Amino acid sequence: MKRSVVVILSLLAGAVSLIAQERPSANLVLTPPMGWNSWNKFGCNVSDDMIRQMADAMVKSGMKDAGYQYIVIDDCWQVSRDAAGNIVADPQRFPSGIEGLADYVHSLGLKFGIYSDAGSKTCAGRPGGLGHEYQDAIVYAAWGVDYLKYDWCNTTTQDARASYANIRAALDTAGRPIVLSICEWGKAQPWLWGKEVGGNLWRTTGDIQDRWAGKKEWKPGDCCSYGVVDIADAEADLYSYAGPGHWNDPDMLEVGNGGMTDVEYRSHFSLWAMLAAPLIAGNDLRNMRPEIRDILTNKEVIAVNQDPLGSQGRRVSKDGDREVWSKQLRDGSLAVILFNRGPAEQNIVATWETIGYPAHVTASVRDLWQHKDVGKITGKFSVSVPSHGVVMVTVKP
Ligand code: GLA
């Protein structure tokens, strides 16, 4: 190749990488985002007071120290648009405006997130973003928004990929680094294009509900909400699409909302950690039982979720109700869960060959819920697991 061509090509490559680096949203959420969102517990019952209390509780409970960062108001903060088309927050529920609330959240060292919708109306029937994308992005940036969850209700014939590319371009033009959470419920397979359009996470299914298992129609013909294990099954084969800055989102956590046992909540949290899922708590942080707080702040399990390699775990064996899932960690070790979906306690075996090591390897096994070293083990790890429970370990050669 001629020298002049090489020079031109390398200049072009430099320019392209500079543009890529200059996107204000580059390098966000290099590990899965952690935070809290109002929807699962409070639905439309959101207010300035409640959100401030939740931010305070995130600090007091030790969740901030454990890595939680984003406080996200979901649907129903907005009531109308003014004559100029600007979005208007509910003046009764948010008397100091969204900006005042964002300032408060920031003053605690936390980040602030908000919700809108790609269509004409949100899922709760509030004004959506359609046709106001650039106008809204400027307002969000001025308010200090760090995270936008963008829903998919009332989008009629809109193209999902184009709609999300449009809001990402609007956010980037507004100039503030804002995480884009694509909430399109997996309908147009956002894992195939979410990263390319600048999405940082994308929902893979319909909404989670606070139950162990079972897909349920919202109303006849309107599918569906899902239990924890249904969502885990839906994500099991999507591992190749996740990585630093772009994550599959199996929806927010239900830990602590009362519909499952503590054993089930521990499994829910462990599975989400293994899936490199966003850890967005969805319970009332002001009055958690210690058992719930201990689940949400288990630093050893969180470290698996936040491992900088950003690899999503996968199911490596299934024998009826007995499953083994394995997640590669940056230091060469693996996180493993032995997961009992059945109705009674049973023994589960993880052989080294199944999880990804040769059988002759001797490895240190550590239990991440007991916070105890199990010992040095060769070939396989075998353990009794309660019904609907997991044993979660790291295996380090
Ligand atoms: C959809 C989303 C939920 C929540 C509600 C709000 O159902 O999937 O996560 O944001 O809308 O109306």
Side-chain angles (χ1 to χ4, degrees):
M1 217 184 299
K2 276 196 183 154
R3 205 179 124 72
S4 56
V5 175
V6 173
V7 169
I8 288 169
L9 282 179
S10 70
L11 277 175
L12 273 176
V16 167
S17 79
L18 192 67
I19 289 165
Q21 280 166 17
E22 275 178 358
R23 266 176 86 124
S25 56
N27 299 321
L28 289 172
V29 290
L30 296 178
T31 60
M34 295 176 66
W36 176 88
N37 172 299
S38 53
W39 185 254
N40 282 356
K41 171 74 184 174
F42 296 94
C44 269
N45 194 15
V46 288
S47 68
D48 180 276
D49 268 359
M50 183 272 275
I51 303 284
R52 282 176 197 244
Q53 288 168 18
M54 225 52 73
D56 289 341
M58 182 174 277
V59 177
K60 282 200 201 104
S61 63
M63 286 178 70
K64 179 182 178 223
D65 284 343
Y68 293 83
Q69 231 185 342
Y70 294 95
I71 293 281
V72 184
I73 318 181
D74 208 282
D75 210 346
C76 301
W77 61 269
Q78 66 288 68
V79 283
S80 58
R81 289 192 181 272
D82 68 15
N86 294 311
I87 193 76
V88 176
D90 186 327
Q92 263 90 51
R93 287 172 175 261
F94 295 92
S96 63
I98 300 297
E99 193 171 8
L101 178 55
D103 286 349
Y104 182 72
V105 169
H106 289 146
S107 76
L108 300 178
L110 298 170
K111 293 189 171 174
F112 180 73
I114 208 164
Y115 162 102
S116 187
D117 186 288
S120 54
K121 286 187 174 163
T122 70
C123 294
R126 304 302 174 94
L130 183 61
H132 295 275
E133 294 83 357
Y134 281 73
Q135 185 177 18
D136 286 350
I138 290 168
V139 169
Y140 298 155
W143 285 347
V145 167
D146 304 299
Y147 181 115
L148 175 67
K149 173 175 169 182
Y150 217 52
D151 214 339
W152 192 241
C153 278
N154 305 300
T155 47
T156 62
T157 59
Q158 282 172 248
D159 176 69
R161 182 184 172 130
S163 300
Y164 286 101
N166 193 28
I167 188 65
R168 166 47 83 204
L171 294 172
D172 283 351
T173 304
R176 187 176 169 89
I178 297 181
V179 173
L180 176 59
S181 158
I182 295 177
C183 179
E184 181 271 355
W185 323 309
K187 294 209 165 198
Q189 300 181 292
W191 46 90
L192 299 178
W193 47 264
K195 178 185 173 199
E196 222 174 296
V197 302
N200 299 107
L201 55 154
W202 45 81
R203 284 274 299 279
T204 52
T205 66
D207 291 7
I208 192 170
Q209 277 190 340
D210 187 15
R211 64 171 170 273
W212 180 244
K215 195 167 139 178
K216 286 191 190 155
E217 288 189 329
W218 294 109
K219 52 183 192 299
D222 183 7
C223 187
C224 281
S225 72
Y226 296 82
V228 160
V229 294
D230 309 281
I231 295 188
D233 286 341
E235 280 232 347
D237 295 330
L238 298 180
Y239 50 84
S240 59
Y241 301 105
H246 52 98
W247 309 100
N248 290 309
D249 175 9
D251 207 356
M252 303 169 293
L253 297 165
E254 291 285 7
V255 174
N257 279 336
M260 289 181 257
T261 65
D262 289 353
V263 168
E264 290 170 338
Y265 282 140
R266 234 168 265 131
S267 300
H268 174 23
F269 196 69
S270 306
L271 279 159
W272 265 230
M274 294 292 286
L275 289 167
L279 296 180
I280 310 289
N283 57 320
D284 191 338
L285 307 181
R286 296 169 299 190
N287 51 20
M288 288 185 275
R289 286 186 291 119
E291 292 82 356
I292 296 301
R293 194 198 50 230
D294 289 351
I295 294 173
L296 290 171
T297 58
N298 183 329
K299 290 188 180 172
E300 295 195 70
V301 174
I302 290 172
V304 168
N305 174 263
Q306 294 290 303
D307 184 77
L309 184 65
S311 170
Q312 178 172 327
R314 57 195 78 176
R315 178 160 46 205
V316 292
S317 86
K318 179 165 182 65
D319 169 15
D321 287 333
R322 292 183 282 203
E323 296 185 0
V324 178
W325 295 60
S326 166
K327 180 184 195 287
Q328 179 69 54
L329 304 178
R330 187 172 66 175
D331 69 357
S333 61
L334 297 171
V336 174
I337 60 173
L338 303 97
F339 176 30
N340 177 6
R341 296 169 69 143
E345 177 156 355
Q346 54 185 338
N347 209 64
I348 303 185
V349 182
T351 69
W352 278 194
E353 280 167 332
T354 328
I355 62 175
Y357 293 131
H360 64 79
V361 162
T362 298
S364 304
V365 175
R366 180 172 174 81
D367 188 314
L368 307 187
W369 284 109
Q370 307 265 335
H371 304 296
K372 269 192 199 133
D373 290 331
V374 178
K376 287 196 183 301
I377 297 183
T378 308
K380 65 174 186 219
F381 175 55
S382 167
V383 70
S384 182
V385 186
S387 163
H388 293 186
V390 296
V391 170
M392 182 166 184
V393 295
T394 47
V395 180
K396 191 170 184 171

